[in-house]
Amino acid sequence: MTWAEPVVVAAVALGAFAQAATGMGFSLVAAPALIAALGPHRAVPTVLLLAVFASLLPLSRDWRHTRPRDAGRLLVPTLLATPVAAWLLGSMDTGVLAVAAGCGVLAGVALLARGLRSAFLRRPGGAWLTGLSSALLNVIGGVGGPPIGMYAANTGWPARATRATLHVFFLVQNVVTAAVLGFVLPPWPTVAALAAGAATGMALAPRLPPAATRTGILVVSCVGALTLIATALT
């Protein structure tokens, strides 16, 4: 990785910290640096494998707090809709759609931050809509996390259950994606950085006030929306 190694290592450590502390955020933080350093063809499968470990490490401690039914309600529509969305949008210019989706996420984050709650999102139909939205954003700009994070921020689950359920969702999603795209063994410094970042996040997470996990999810979702918009405009 030559000159980019310190930046990549820092990004991976920060992404792993965010993932362990809030339940999401690894790919949003680490992927841009890895893509710049390794190129997209090598970086994408590398990010997928690192993301699996970024969810697996904290889940190894918190798996008892997972809400399997809720994770399944989000995963089923996401996994089913992803290939359909890829087929439908494969030949389209999705720039305008990406900007609109990013603005929609920012608006949703703002409303949730102001205390708005949606009763619909707590129902099975809300989970399906969230999963479909995640699949669509993932196909458009590789940023499928914000709808899932916003769903979790709306639920009112305990912080530990929120993190564990998000870990399950992203773990399964990344394993399935890696099975389709293949994987590349990451450079050893990134593995060490991931372990250090995840350990720090795992140590801090139980000490965070309950509202801090929700706030962290909203911040990461906002970053994802801005990334989606910036990618579409460049």
Side-chain angles (χ1 to χ4, degrees), residues 57-95:
L57 289 175
L59 188 60
S60 66
R61 182 187 67 182
D62 293 337
W63 63 271
R64 293 180 182 85
H65 300 276
T66 303
R67 300 172 67 95
R69 181 174 296 179
D70 290 298
R73 284 176 177 170
L74 294 169
L75 278 165
V76 170
T78 301
L79 298 178
L80 289 177
T82 296
V84 177
W87 176 69
L88 290 174
L89 300 175
S91 59
M92 294 176 56
D93 181 0
T94 57

Side-chain angles (χ1 to χ4, degrees), residues 70-193:
D70 290 298
R73 284 176 177 170
L74 294 169
L75 278 165
V76 170
T78 301
L79 298 178
L80 289 177
T82 296
V84 177
W87 176 69
L88 290 174
L89 300 175
S91 59
M92 294 176 56
D93 181 0
T94 57
V96 174
L97 189 57
V99 172
C103 291
V105 170
L106 290 176
V109 168
L111 291 172
L112 286 170
R114 290 175 62 86
L116 180 70
R117 295 293 185 276
S118 169
F120 170 73
L121 285 182
R122 297 191 182 98
R123 301 170 189 156
W128 272 82
L129 178 62
T130 300
L132 295 175
S133 301
S134 177
L136 183 65
L137 265 64
N138 207 34
V139 169
I140 292 172
V143 183
I148 305 301
M150 292 168 63
Y151 177 90
N154 182 78
T155 58
W157 298 336
R160 206 162 190 176
T162 297
R163 290 192 298 269
T165 304
L166 289 176
H167 289 319
V168 168
F169 176 88
F170 291 114
L171 174 64
V172 175
Q173 185 185 51
N174 287 315
V175 166
V176 171
T177 307
V180 174
L181 299 181
F183 64 90
V184 173
L185 292 177
W188 72 263
T190 62
V191 177

